[in-house]
Amino acid sequence: MLVHNSDIAEIFSEIADMLEIQDANPFRVRAYRNAARLLQSYAPNLQTMLQQGQPVPHLPGIGTDLMGKIREIADHGTCALRDQLRRELPPGLRQLLAVPGIGPRRAKLLHEVLGVDSLEQLADACREGTVAGLRGMGTRGQQRILQAVEDRLSKSRRFGIALATELADTLVRHLRASDAQAKVEVAGSFRRGRETVGDLDLVASSSRPTALIAAFAAFDGVGQVLAKGSTRASVVLRQGIQVDLRVVAPVSFGAALHYFTGSREHNIALRGLARRNGLKINEYGVFSAEERIAGETEASVFKAVGLPWIAPELRENRGEIEAAQQEQLPDLVQLSDLKGDLHVHTRSSDGRNSLREMALAAQQRGLDYIAITDHSSSLAVAGGLDADGLARQIDDIDALNAELHGIVLLKGIEAEIRVDGSFDLPDDLLRRLDLVVGAVHSKMDLPSERQTARILKAMDHPCFTLLAHPSGRLLGEREPYALDMNRVIRHARERGCFLEVNSQPSRLDLNDQYCMQARREGVMVAIDSDAHSVLDFDNLRFGIAQARRGWTGPDNVLNARSLTALRKLLLKARG
Ligand code: DGT
Ligand code: CA
Ligand code: CA
Protein backbone atom coordinates (compact mmCIF):
# COMPACT_ATOMS: atom_id res chain seq x y z
CA MET A 1 0.00 0.00 0.00
CA LEU A 2 1.16 3.46 -0.87
CA VAL A 3 2.10 5.61 2.11
CA HIS A 4 2.61 9.35 1.68
CA ASN A 5 4.79 11.34 4.03
CA SER A 6 1.64 13.19 4.99
CA ASP A 7 0.10 9.86 6.07
CA ILE A 8 3.02 9.28 8.42
CA ALA A 9 2.76 12.88 9.63
CA GLU A 10 -0.91 12.38 10.34
CA ILE A 11 -0.28 9.22 12.35
CA PHE A 12 2.46 10.94 14.37
CA SER A 13 0.28 13.91 15.06
CA GLU A 14 -2.56 11.66 16.12
CA ILE A 15 -0.20 9.79 18.45
CA ALA A 16 0.93 13.13 19.93
CA ASP A 17 -2.69 14.14 20.53
CA MET A 18 -3.62 10.86 22.11
CA LEU A 19 -0.53 10.82 24.30
CA GLU A 20 -1.35 14.34 25.42
CA ILE A 21 -4.91 13.35 26.31
CA GLN A 22 -3.38 10.62 28.45
CA ASP A 23 -1.09 13.18 30.13
CA ALA A 24 2.04 11.47 28.83
CA ASN A 25 5.55 12.92 29.15
CA PRO A 26 5.52 16.30 27.33
CA PHE A 27 8.92 15.65 25.72
CA ARG A 28 7.59 12.50 24.15
CA VAL A 29 4.52 14.36 22.89
CA ARG A 30 6.69 17.11 21.44
CA ALA A 31 8.97 14.64 19.66
CA TYR A 32 5.99 13.21 17.76
CA ARG A 33 4.61 16.64 17.02
CA ASN A 34 7.90 17.97 15.67
CA ALA A 35 8.36 14.88 13.53
CA ALA A 36 4.84 15.30 12.14
CA ARG A 37 5.48 18.93 11.25
CA LEU A 38 8.73 18.03 9.56
CA LEU A 39 7.23 15.23 7.47
CA GLN A 40 4.31 17.40 6.46
CA SER A 41 6.61 19.60 4.42
CA TYR A 42 9.13 16.98 3.34
CA ALA A 43 8.62 16.26 -0.35
CA PRO A 44 10.66 13.16 -1.33
CA ASN A 45 8.54 10.08 -0.58
CA LEU A 46 10.11 8.16 2.32
CA GLN A 47 8.33 4.89 1.62
CA THR A 48 9.77 4.81 -1.91
CA MET A 49 13.25 5.54 -0.54
CA LEU A 50 12.96 2.79 2.06
CA GLN A 51 11.52 0.24 -0.36
CA GLN A 52 14.19 0.94 -2.95
CA GLY A 53 16.86 0.70 -0.30
CA GLN A 54 18.04 4.26 -0.91
CA PRO A 55 19.80 5.98 1.98
CA VAL A 56 17.37 8.15 3.92
CA PRO A 57 18.82 11.63 4.51
CA HIS A 58 19.33 12.69 8.11
CA LEU A 59 16.04 14.14 9.31
CA PRO A 60 16.47 16.59 12.18
CA GLY A 61 14.83 15.43 15.41
CA ILE A 62 14.11 11.93 14.12
CA GLY A 63 16.14 9.39 16.06
CA THR A 64 16.19 5.62 15.86
CA ASP A 65 12.90 5.15 17.69
CA LEU A 66 10.94 7.45 15.37
CA MET A 67 12.76 6.11 12.31
CA GLY A 68 11.62 2.63 13.37
CA LYS A 69 8.03 3.89 13.51
CA ILE A 70 8.42 5.42 10.04
CA ARG A 71 9.60 2.06 8.70
CA GLU A 72 6.73 0.30 10.40
CA ILE A 73 4.20 2.70 8.86
CA ALA A 74 5.86 2.47 5.42
CA ASP A 75 5.54 -1.32 5.60
CA HIS A 76 2.12 -1.69 7.17
CA GLY A 77 0.32 1.64 6.72
CA THR A 78 -0.09 1.97 10.48
CA CYS A 79 1.83 1.36 13.67
CA ALA A 80 1.11 -0.67 16.76
CA LEU A 81 1.41 2.29 19.12
CA ARG A 82 -1.34 4.20 17.35
CA ASP A 83 -3.64 1.20 17.25
CA GLN A 84 -3.10 0.60 20.95
CA LEU A 85 -3.77 4.25 21.87
CA ARG A 86 -6.90 4.22 19.74
CA ARG A 87 -8.22 1.25 21.66
CA GLU A 88 -7.57 3.04 24.93
CA LEU A 89 -9.49 6.21 24.00
CA PRO A 90 -13.14 6.85 23.08
CA PRO A 91 -13.48 6.74 19.28
CA GLY A 92 -15.23 10.10 18.80
CA LEU A 93 -12.32 12.09 20.21
CA ARG A 94 -10.27 11.73 17.05
CA GLN A 95 -12.78 13.50 14.82
CA LEU A 96 -12.92 16.38 17.26
CA LEU A 97 -9.15 16.75 17.22
CA ALA A 98 -9.26 17.36 13.47
CA VAL A 99 -11.11 20.65 14.04
CA PRO A 100 -8.82 23.72 14.07
CA GLY A 101 -9.00 25.24 17.54
CA ILE A 102 -9.66 21.93 19.30
CA GLY A 103 -6.61 20.47 20.96
CA PRO A 104 -6.35 17.40 23.14
CA ARG A 105 -7.48 19.21 26.30
CA ARG A 106 -10.60 20.66 24.73
CA ALA A 107 -11.49 17.39 23.05
CA LYS A 108 -11.32 15.65 26.40
CA LEU A 109 -13.48 18.33 28.01
CA LEU A 110 -16.09 18.23 25.23
CA HIS A 111 -16.28 14.49 25.52
CA GLU A 112 -16.32 14.19 29.29
CA VAL A 113 -18.51 17.16 30.13
CA LEU A 114 -20.89 17.33 27.15
CA GLY A 115 -20.70 13.76 25.89
CA VAL A 116 -19.83 14.99 22.40
CA ASP A 117 -18.65 12.13 20.18
CA SER A 118 -18.80 13.38 16.58
CA LEU A 119 -18.57 16.52 14.47
CA GLU A 120 -22.34 16.57 14.00
CA GLN A 121 -22.89 16.42 17.76
CA LEU A 122 -20.32 19.16 18.26
CA ALA A 123 -22.10 21.43 15.75
CA ASP A 124 -25.39 20.77 17.54
CA ALA A 125 -23.86 21.51 20.93
CA CYS A 126 -22.49 24.82 19.57
CA ARG A 127 -25.89 25.75 18.13
CA GLU A 128 -27.55 24.92 21.45
CA GLY A 129 -25.01 27.13 23.19
CA THR A 130 -23.67 24.57 25.68
CA VAL A 131 -20.08 24.75 24.38
CA ALA A 132 -19.77 28.41 25.40
CA GLY A 133 -20.03 27.41 29.05
CA LEU A 134 -16.86 25.28 28.99
CA ARG A 135 -13.72 26.59 30.64
CA GLY A 136 -11.84 29.05 28.39
CA MET A 137 -14.43 28.95 25.62
CA GLY A 138 -17.07 31.75 25.72
CA THR A 139 -19.48 32.66 22.95
CA ARG A 140 -16.71 33.85 20.62
CA GLY A 141 -14.83 30.60 20.98
CA GLN A 142 -18.05 28.69 20.43
CA GLN A 143 -18.74 30.69 17.26
CA ARG A 144 -15.24 30.01 15.93
CA ILE A 145 -15.58 26.29 16.61
CA LEU A 146 -18.97 26.13 14.92
CA GLN A 147 -17.52 27.85 11.86
CA ALA A 148 -14.58 25.43 11.78
CA VAL A 149 -16.86 22.39 12.14
CA GLU A 150 -19.12 23.65 9.36
CA ASP A 151 -16.10 24.22 7.10
CA ARG A 152 -14.91 20.73 7.84
CA LEU A 153 -18.29 19.20 7.07
CA SER A 154 -18.88 21.30 3.97
CA LYS A 155 -18.23 20.14 0.42
CA SER A 156 -16.56 23.42 -0.50
CA ARG A 157 -13.53 22.56 1.60
CA ARG A 158 -10.22 23.57 -0.03
CA PHE A 159 -6.86 21.86 0.30
CA GLY A 160 -3.44 23.39 0.90
CA ILE A 161 -0.87 23.36 -1.85
CA ALA A 162 1.71 21.25 0.02
CA LEU A 163 -0.66 18.29 0.43
CA ALA A 164 -2.04 18.75 -3.10
CA THR A 165 1.50 18.71 -4.51
CA GLU A 166 2.46 15.52 -2.75
CA LEU A 167 -0.73 13.73 -3.78
CA ALA A 168 -0.57 14.97 -7.37
CA ASP A 169 3.09 13.96 -7.69
CA THR A 170 2.54 10.38 -6.54
CA LEU A 171 -0.66 9.93 -8.53
CA VAL A 172 0.88 11.26 -11.75
CA ARG A 173 3.95 9.07 -11.24
CA HIS A 174 1.66 6.06 -10.79
CA LEU A 175 -0.25 6.82 -14.00
CA ARG A 176 2.86 7.48 -16.08
CA ALA A 177 4.30 4.17 -14.90
CA SER A 178 1.17 2.20 -15.80
CA ASP A 179 1.19 0.15 -18.99
CA ALA A 180 -1.31 2.51 -20.64
CA GLN A 181 1.62 4.56 -22.02
CA ALA A 182 -0.10 7.74 -21.10
CA LYS A 183 0.86 11.36 -21.31
CA VAL A 184 -0.48 12.89 -18.07
CA GLU A 185 -0.53 16.45 -16.75
CA VAL A 186 -2.17 18.10 -13.77
CA ALA A 187 -4.41 20.98 -14.91
CA GLY A 188 -6.91 23.15 -12.99
CA SER A 189 -6.12 25.60 -10.20
CA PHE A 190 -3.14 23.42 -9.23
CA ARG A 191 -1.39 24.19 -12.52
CA ARG A 192 -2.28 27.85 -12.19
CA GLY A 193 -0.31 27.82 -8.93
CA ARG A 194 -3.18 28.75 -6.66
CA GLU A 195 -2.49 28.60 -2.93
CA THR A 196 -5.33 26.14 -2.31
CA VAL A 197 -7.22 23.79 -4.61
CA GLY A 198 -10.82 22.61 -4.51
CA ASP A 199 -9.96 19.43 -6.39
CA LEU A 200 -7.32 18.09 -8.76
CA ASP A 201 -7.93 17.89 -12.52
CA LEU A 202 -5.83 15.48 -14.57
CA VAL A 203 -5.65 15.51 -18.35
CA ALA A 204 -4.24 12.53 -20.22
CA SER A 205 -3.90 11.08 -23.66
CA SER A 206 -3.32 7.40 -24.24
CA SER A 207 -3.83 4.86 -26.95
CA ARG A 208 -5.34 2.64 -24.24
CA PRO A 209 -7.77 4.89 -22.34
CA THR A 210 -9.54 1.97 -20.63
CA ALA A 211 -6.29 0.67 -19.18
CA LEU A 212 -5.46 4.16 -17.94
CA ILE A 213 -8.84 4.63 -16.27
CA ALA A 214 -8.46 1.23 -14.63
CA ALA A 215 -5.01 2.16 -13.32
CA PHE A 216 -6.44 5.44 -12.00
CA ALA A 217 -9.26 3.73 -10.09
CA ALA A 218 -6.80 1.13 -8.76
CA PHE A 219 -4.43 3.77 -7.34
CA ASP A 220 -3.59 2.85 -3.77
CA GLY A 221 -4.51 6.24 -2.34
CA VAL A 222 -8.09 6.07 -3.64
CA GLY A 223 -10.75 6.03 -0.94
CA GLN A 224 -13.83 6.01 -3.16
CA VAL A 225 -14.53 5.81 -6.90
CA LEU A 226 -17.26 8.32 -7.75
CA ALA A 227 -17.57 7.69 -11.49
CA LYS A 228 -15.79 5.55 -14.03
CA GLY A 229 -16.47 5.82 -17.78
CA SER A 230 -14.51 5.19 -20.95
CA THR A 231 -12.93 8.65 -21.20
CA ARG A 232 -13.36 10.12 -17.72
CA ALA A 233 -13.35 9.11 -14.09
CA SER A 234 -13.55 10.76 -10.68
CA VAL A 235 -12.26 9.48 -7.38
CA VAL A 236 -11.87 10.75 -3.83
CA LEU A 237 -8.46 10.12 -2.28
CA ARG A 238 -8.20 8.99 1.34
CA GLN A 239 -7.28 12.52 2.38
CA GLY A 240 -10.69 13.68 1.14
CA ILE A 241 -9.57 15.43 -2.03
CA GLN A 242 -11.42 14.69 -5.28
CA VAL A 243 -9.52 13.99 -8.50
CA ASP A 244 -11.10 14.21 -11.96
CA LEU A 245 -9.36 12.51 -14.89
CA ARG A 246 -10.13 13.22 -18.54
CA VAL A 247 -8.59 11.11 -21.31
CA VAL A 248 -8.53 12.53 -24.85
CA ALA A 249 -6.92 11.59 -28.16
CA PRO A 250 -3.38 12.89 -28.73
CA VAL A 251 -4.61 15.44 -31.34
CA SER A 252 -6.71 17.04 -28.59
CA PHE A 253 -4.23 16.88 -25.71
CA GLY A 254 -3.18 20.55 -25.80
CA ALA A 255 -6.75 21.76 -26.18
CA ALA A 256 -7.93 19.65 -23.24
CA LEU A 257 -4.97 20.73 -21.12
CA HIS A 258 -5.81 24.34 -21.88
CA TYR A 259 -9.53 23.90 -21.25
CA PHE A 260 -9.13 22.14 -17.91
CA THR A 261 -6.38 24.45 -16.73
CA GLY A 262 -8.81 27.34 -16.86
CA SER A 263 -9.54 29.57 -15.25
CA ARG A 264 -13.12 29.66 -16.33
CA GLU A 265 -12.84 33.44 -16.81
CA HIS A 266 -9.73 33.08 -18.96
CA ASN A 267 -11.41 30.37 -21.05
CA ILE A 268 -14.47 32.51 -21.64
CA ALA A 269 -12.32 35.46 -22.74
CA LEU A 270 -10.28 33.28 -25.08
CA ARG A 271 -13.40 31.72 -26.59
CA GLY A 272 -14.73 35.23 -27.27
CA LEU A 273 -11.52 36.17 -29.03
CA ALA A 274 -11.72 33.01 -31.16
CA ARG A 275 -15.33 33.72 -32.07
CA ARG A 276 -14.42 37.20 -33.24
CA ASN A 277 -11.90 35.50 -35.55
CA GLY A 278 -14.54 33.11 -36.88
CA LEU A 279 -13.12 30.17 -34.88
CA LYS A 280 -14.46 27.82 -32.25
CA ILE A 281 -12.49 26.54 -29.22
CA ASN A 282 -13.41 23.60 -27.04
CA GLU A 283 -11.61 20.84 -25.15
CA TYR A 284 -11.01 18.95 -28.42
CA GLY A 285 -9.32 21.65 -30.42
CA VAL A 286 -9.66 24.91 -32.33
CA PHE A 287 -12.05 24.60 -35.27
CA SER A 288 -12.59 26.60 -38.44
CA ALA A 289 -15.99 25.48 -39.70
CA GLU A 290 -15.75 21.73 -39.04
CA GLU A 291 -12.02 21.48 -39.54
CA ARG A 292 -9.64 21.12 -36.59
CA ILE A 293 -6.83 23.61 -37.09
CA ALA A 294 -5.07 23.19 -33.72
CA GLY A 295 -5.15 21.24 -30.46
CA GLU A 296 -2.24 18.86 -30.17
CA THR A 297 -0.23 21.28 -28.02
CA GLU A 298 -1.27 24.23 -25.91
CA ALA A 299 0.98 26.52 -27.95
CA SER A 300 -0.93 25.51 -31.11
CA VAL A 301 -4.20 26.55 -29.46
CA PHE A 302 -2.89 30.01 -28.57
CA LYS A 303 -1.21 30.38 -31.98
CA ALA A 304 -4.49 29.64 -33.77
CA VAL A 305 -6.03 32.71 -32.14
CA GLY A 306 -2.95 34.83 -32.85
CA LEU A 307 -1.35 34.69 -29.39
CA PRO A 308 1.91 33.51 -27.89
CA TRP A 309 1.67 30.79 -25.19
CA ILE A 310 0.53 32.26 -21.88
CA ALA A 311 1.93 30.83 -18.62
CA PRO A 312 -0.80 29.03 -16.58
CA GLU A 313 -0.23 31.25 -13.51
CA LEU A 314 -1.40 34.27 -15.53
CA ARG A 315 -4.63 32.71 -16.77
CA GLU A 316 -7.13 34.52 -14.57
CA ASN A 317 -8.39 37.04 -17.13
CA ARG A 318 -6.52 39.77 -15.30
CA GLY A 319 -5.20 41.37 -18.50
CA GLU A 320 -3.04 38.48 -19.74
CA ILE A 321 -4.86 38.15 -23.07
CA GLU A 322 -4.51 41.87 -23.81
CA ALA A 323 -0.85 41.74 -22.77
CA ALA A 324 -0.30 38.76 -25.07
CA GLN A 325 -1.94 40.61 -27.97
CA GLN A 326 0.42 43.53 -27.43
CA GLU A 327 3.41 41.21 -26.98
CA GLN A 328 3.79 42.57 -23.47
CA LEU A 329 3.55 39.39 -21.41
CA PRO A 330 5.79 39.67 -18.35
CA ASP A 331 8.98 37.67 -18.06
CA LEU A 332 8.13 35.53 -15.00
CA VAL A 333 10.53 34.63 -12.22
CA GLN A 334 11.55 30.95 -11.97
CA LEU A 335 12.96 28.89 -9.12
CA SER A 336 16.32 28.75 -10.90
CA ASP A 337 16.50 32.57 -10.85
CA LEU A 338 16.88 32.60 -7.06
CA LYS A 339 20.47 33.19 -5.97
CA GLY A 340 19.76 33.29 -2.26
CA ASP A 341 17.25 33.26 0.56
CA LEU A 342 16.85 36.18 2.96
CA HIS A 343 14.85 34.58 5.79
CA VAL A 344 16.35 31.52 7.45
CA HIS A 345 16.23 30.26 11.05
CA THR A 346 18.63 28.09 13.02
CA ARG A 347 18.66 26.36 16.38
CA SER A 348 19.58 29.71 17.93
CA SER A 349 15.83 30.40 17.91
CA ASP A 350 13.13 27.96 16.80
CA GLY A 351 14.91 26.35 13.85
CA ARG A 352 15.92 22.71 14.02
CA ASN A 353 19.34 22.84 12.35
CA SER A 354 22.67 24.53 13.00
CA LEU A 355 24.17 27.44 11.04
CA ARG A 356 26.47 25.08 9.23
CA GLU A 357 23.73 22.61 8.33
CA MET A 358 21.54 25.38 6.93
CA ALA A 359 24.47 26.80 4.94
CA LEU A 360 25.39 23.45 3.41
CA ALA A 361 21.77 22.60 2.58
CA ALA A 362 21.33 25.96 0.84
CA GLN A 363 24.53 25.46 -1.10
CA GLN A 364 23.38 22.01 -2.18
CA ARG A 365 20.31 23.62 -3.68
CA GLY A 366 22.46 25.94 -5.73
CA LEU A 367 22.00 29.07 -3.65
CA ASP A 368 24.94 31.49 -3.34
CA TYR A 369 23.91 33.18 -0.10
CA ILE A 370 21.43 33.00 2.78
CA ALA A 371 20.61 35.53 5.45
CA ILE A 372 20.40 34.10 8.97
CA THR A 373 17.39 35.74 10.57
CA ASP A 374 16.56 34.13 13.90
CA HIS A 375 13.81 35.59 16.05
CA SER A 376 14.54 38.40 18.48
CA SER A 377 14.01 37.98 22.21
CA SER A 378 10.49 39.30 22.66
CA LEU A 379 9.21 36.31 20.72
CA ALA A 380 9.79 34.18 23.79
CA VAL A 381 7.90 31.14 22.48
CA ALA A 382 10.49 30.87 19.71
CA GLY A 383 13.43 31.27 22.11
CA GLY A 384 14.44 34.52 20.39
CA LEU A 385 17.93 36.07 20.59
CA ASP A 386 18.73 38.89 22.99
CA ALA A 387 21.54 41.37 22.31
CA ASP A 388 24.25 39.05 23.69
CA GLY A 389 22.93 36.09 21.75
CA LEU A 390 22.86 38.06 18.53
CA ALA A 391 26.38 39.41 19.10
CA ARG A 392 27.58 35.83 19.56
CA GLN A 393 25.81 34.74 16.39
CA ILE A 394 27.49 37.57 14.45
CA ASP A 395 30.87 36.15 15.53
CA ASP A 396 29.81 32.61 14.66
CA ILE A 397 28.79 33.75 11.18
CA ASP A 398 32.12 35.50 10.64
CA ALA A 399 33.94 32.34 11.66
CA LEU A 400 31.86 30.11 9.44
CA ASN A 401 32.14 32.44 6.44
CA ALA A 402 35.92 32.31 6.79
CA GLU A 403 35.75 28.56 6.53
CA LEU A 404 33.05 27.88 3.90
CA HIS A 405 33.43 28.22 0.16
CA GLY A 406 30.66 28.68 -2.38
CA ILE A 407 28.05 29.90 0.10
CA VAL A 408 27.95 33.17 2.03
CA LEU A 409 26.00 33.76 5.22
CA LEU A 410 24.56 37.23 5.67
CA LYS A 411 23.84 38.56 9.15
CA GLY A 412 20.26 39.34 9.93
CA ILE A 413 17.47 39.13 12.46
CA GLU A 414 13.74 38.61 12.32
CA ALA A 415 13.07 41.51 14.62
CA GLU A 416 9.83 41.82 16.54
CA ILE A 417 7.97 44.99 15.65
CA ARG A 418 6.57 46.14 18.99
CA VAL A 419 3.16 47.76 19.28
CA ASP A 420 4.70 51.23 19.13
CA GLY A 421 6.64 50.34 15.96
CA SER A 422 10.02 50.10 17.70
CA PHE A 423 12.40 47.10 17.77
CA ASP A 424 13.54 45.11 20.78
CA LEU A 425 17.26 45.32 20.02
CA PRO A 426 19.67 48.28 20.36
CA ASP A 427 20.41 50.32 17.22
CA ASP A 428 24.17 49.84 17.41
CA LEU A 429 23.64 46.10 17.15
CA LEU A 430 21.12 46.39 14.29
CA ARG A 431 23.67 48.51 12.41
CA ARG A 432 26.15 45.63 12.48
CA LEU A 433 23.74 43.46 10.50
CA ASP A 434 23.42 43.14 6.73
CA LEU A 435 19.65 43.23 6.95
CA VAL A 436 16.76 43.49 9.38
CA VAL A 437 13.61 41.54 8.62
CA GLY A 438 10.79 43.16 10.57
CA ALA A 439 7.85 41.03 11.69
CA VAL A 440 4.62 41.28 13.64
CA HIS A 441 3.79 38.30 15.85
CA SER A 442 1.97 40.01 18.72
CA LYS A 443 -1.14 42.19 19.04
CA MET A 444 -2.34 40.99 15.68
CA ASP A 445 -5.85 42.27 16.40
CA LEU A 446 -5.12 46.01 16.49
CA PRO A 447 -7.53 48.18 14.50
CA SER A 448 -6.34 48.93 10.97
CA GLU A 449 -5.25 52.50 11.65
CA ARG A 450 -2.98 51.49 14.54
CA GLN A 451 -1.63 48.34 12.89
CA THR A 452 -0.75 50.31 9.76
CA ALA A 453 0.89 53.11 11.75
CA ARG A 454 2.89 50.53 13.72
CA ILE A 455 4.30 48.95 10.57
CA LEU A 456 5.01 52.25 8.78
CA LYS A 457 6.88 53.44 11.89
CA ALA A 458 9.00 50.28 11.90
CA MET A 459 9.80 50.76 8.22
CA ASP A 460 11.10 54.24 9.00
CA HIS A 461 13.85 52.80 11.19
CA PRO A 462 17.07 53.37 9.23
CA CYS A 463 18.09 49.71 9.58
CA PHE A 464 14.76 48.26 8.43
CA THR A 465 15.16 46.18 5.26
CA LEU A 466 12.27 43.86 4.66
CA LEU A 467 8.76 43.25 6.00
CA ALA A 468 8.21 39.54 6.74
CA HIS A 469 4.87 37.87 5.88
CA PRO A 470 3.22 41.30 5.53
CA SER A 471 -0.44 40.40 6.03
CA GLY A 472 0.03 37.83 8.80
CA ARG A 473 -2.54 35.43 7.40
CA LEU A 474 -2.41 31.68 8.03
CA LEU A 475 -4.38 29.89 5.35
CA GLY A 476 -7.46 28.20 6.75
CA GLU A 477 -6.55 29.35 10.27
CA ARG A 478 -6.10 33.07 10.64
CA GLU A 479 -7.33 36.05 8.63
CA PRO A 480 -4.85 38.79 7.66
CA TYR A 481 -4.44 41.57 10.24
CA ALA A 482 -6.58 44.61 9.68
CA LEU A 483 -4.03 46.58 7.66
CA ASP A 484 -3.99 49.16 4.88
CA MET A 485 -1.72 47.18 2.58
CA ASN A 486 -1.90 49.84 -0.14
CA ARG A 487 -0.29 52.32 2.23
CA VAL A 488 2.31 49.77 3.31
CA ILE A 489 3.29 49.12 -0.32
CA ARG A 490 3.41 52.81 -1.17
CA HIS A 491 5.43 53.51 1.97
CA ALA A 492 7.90 50.77 1.03
CA ARG A 493 8.40 52.53 -2.30
CA GLU A 494 8.94 55.93 -0.69
CA ARG A 495 11.19 54.55 2.03
CA GLY A 496 13.10 52.30 -0.41
CA CYS A 497 12.65 49.09 1.56
CA PHE A 498 11.29 45.69 0.54
CA LEU A 499 8.44 43.26 1.11
CA GLU A 500 8.55 39.52 1.55
CA VAL A 501 6.79 36.77 -0.32
CA ASN A 502 6.93 34.14 2.42
CA SER A 503 6.97 30.68 0.81
CA GLN A 504 5.63 28.63 3.71
CA PRO A 505 2.60 26.87 2.22
CA SER A 506 0.43 28.01 5.13
CA ARG A 507 1.39 31.67 4.59
CA LEU A 508 2.10 32.56 0.93
CA ASP A 509 2.18 36.16 2.02
CA LEU A 510 2.29 38.58 0.08
CA ASN A 511 -0.47 36.99 -1.94
CA ASP A 512 -0.70 37.22 -5.72
CA GLN A 513 -2.79 40.41 -5.80
CA TYR A 514 -0.36 42.31 -3.59
CA CYS A 515 2.58 40.99 -5.62
CA MET A 516 0.91 42.59 -8.65
CA GLN A 517 0.57 45.81 -6.77
CA ALA A 518 4.16 45.77 -5.54
CA ARG A 519 5.23 45.30 -9.14
CA ARG A 520 3.08 48.23 -10.28
CA GLU A 521 4.59 50.42 -7.57
CA GLY A 522 8.11 49.22 -8.37
CA VAL A 523 8.66 47.72 -4.89
CA MET A 524 11.01 44.75 -4.98
CA VAL A 525 10.06 41.56 -3.15
CA ALA A 526 12.19 38.85 -1.53
CA ILE A 527 10.89 35.32 -2.12
CA ASP A 528 11.95 33.61 1.11
CA SER A 529 11.61 30.12 2.51
CA ASP A 530 11.43 31.23 6.18
CA ALA A 531 13.17 27.88 6.65
CA HIS A 532 13.05 26.32 10.10
CA SER A 533 14.90 23.21 8.93
CA VAL A 534 17.08 22.12 6.01
CA LEU A 535 14.02 20.62 4.34
CA ASP A 536 12.12 23.89 4.14
CA PHE A 537 14.12 25.22 1.20
CA ASP A 538 11.75 22.99 -0.80
CA ASN A 539 8.99 25.48 -0.04
CA LEU A 540 10.56 28.14 -2.26
CA ARG A 541 8.67 26.63 -5.21
CA PHE A 542 5.37 27.67 -3.61
CA GLY A 543 6.52 31.27 -3.13
CA ILE A 544 7.69 31.32 -6.74
CA ALA A 545 4.24 30.18 -7.93
CA GLN A 546 2.54 32.89 -5.89
CA ALA A 547 4.93 35.55 -7.25
CA ARG A 548 4.37 34.34 -10.81
CA ARG A 549 0.62 34.64 -10.29
CA GLY A 550 1.38 38.25 -9.36
CA TRP A 551 3.21 38.83 -12.67
CA THR A 552 6.55 39.13 -10.86
CA GLY A 553 9.66 39.05 -13.01
CA PRO A 554 13.22 38.27 -11.90
CA ASP A 555 14.08 41.99 -12.08
CA ASN A 556 11.64 42.65 -9.28
CA VAL A 557 13.03 39.99 -6.96
CA LEU A 558 15.69 41.05 -4.48
CA ASN A 559 17.15 37.58 -4.00
CA ALA A 560 17.35 36.95 -7.74
CA ARG A 561 20.27 39.41 -7.68
CA SER A 562 23.88 38.36 -7.38
CA LEU A 563 25.46 38.79 -3.95
CA THR A 564 27.36 41.87 -5.13
CA ALA A 565 24.23 43.51 -6.54
CA LEU A 566 22.25 42.55 -3.44
CA ARG A 567 24.80 44.12 -1.10
CA LYS A 568 24.51 47.41 -3.00
CA LEU A 569 20.71 47.32 -2.72
CA LEU A 570 20.88 46.54 1.01
CA LEU A 571 23.21 49.45 1.64
CA LYS A 572 21.02 51.77 -0.36
CA ALA A 573 17.97 50.68 1.64
CA ARG A 574 19.71 51.71 4.84
CA GLY A 575 18.05 55.05 5.35
P1 DGT B 1 -10.72 24.66 -7.92
O1 DGT B 1 -10.78 23.22 -8.27
O2 DGT B 1 -11.94 25.15 -7.25
O3 DGT B 1 -9.51 25.01 -7.14
O4 DGT B 1 -10.61 25.52 -9.29
P2 DGT B 1 -10.41 25.03 -10.79
O5 DGT B 1 -10.07 26.23 -11.58
O6 DGT B 1 -9.47 23.88 -10.86
O7 DGT B 1 -11.87 24.62 -11.23
P3 DGT B 1 -12.55 23.24 -11.61
O8 DGT B 1 -11.87 22.08 -10.98
O9 DGT B 1 -13.99 23.41 -11.33
O10 DGT B 1 -12.40 23.16 -13.19
C1 DGT B 1 -11.13 23.03 -13.80
C2 DGT B 1 -11.07 23.88 -15.03
O11 DGT B 1 -11.96 23.36 -16.03
C3 DGT B 1 -11.55 25.30 -14.80
O12 DGT B 1 -10.52 26.14 -14.33
C4 DGT B 1 -12.01 25.69 -16.19
C5 DGT B 1 -12.51 24.41 -16.78
N1 DGT B 1 -13.98 24.36 -16.66
C6 DGT B 1 -14.68 23.53 -15.89
N2 DGT B 1 -16.00 23.74 -16.05
C7 DGT B 1 -16.11 24.74 -16.93
C8 DGT B 1 -17.23 25.44 -17.52
O13 DGT B 1 -18.38 25.16 -17.23
N3 DGT B 1 -16.94 26.43 -18.39
C9 DGT B 1 -15.67 26.75 -18.73
N4 DGT B 1 -15.43 27.73 -19.59
N5 DGT B 1 -14.61 26.14 -18.20
C10 DGT B 1 -14.83 25.14 -17.33
CA1 CA C 1 -9.77 21.88 -9.75
CA1 CA D 1 -12.52 19.62 -11.17
Side-chain angles (χ1 to χ4, degrees), residues 1 15 21 35 72 104 118 187 190 206 234 244 258 284 332 378 390 411 430 442 459 472 482 550:
M1 126 170 207
I15 289 177
I21 289 179
E72 190 185 349
S118 67
F190 181 88
S206 165
S234 292
D244 299 330
H258 176 267
Y284 302 106
L332 296 180
S378 30
L390 182 57
K411 297 161 196 160
L430 295 180
S442 63
M459 286 176 147

Side-chain angles (χ1 to χ4, degrees), residues 109-155:
L109 214 56
L110 286 164
H111 173 75
E112 285 173 0
V113 180
L114 300 178
V116 164
D117 265 337
S118 67
L119 291 184
E120 288 78 6
Q121 287 175 13
L122 178 55
D124 287 346
C126 287
R127 291 191 196 102
E128 286 159 17
T130 51
V131 174
L134 292 182
R135 182 157 37 91
M137 192 68 77
T139 43
R140 267 181 73 186
Q142 173 173 273
Q143 187 53 40
R144 263 201 298 275
I145 294 220
L146 180 58
Q147 185 64 52
V149 174
E150 282 174 345
D151 284 352
R152 193 102 203 148
L153 290 171
S154 106
K155 299 237 179 320

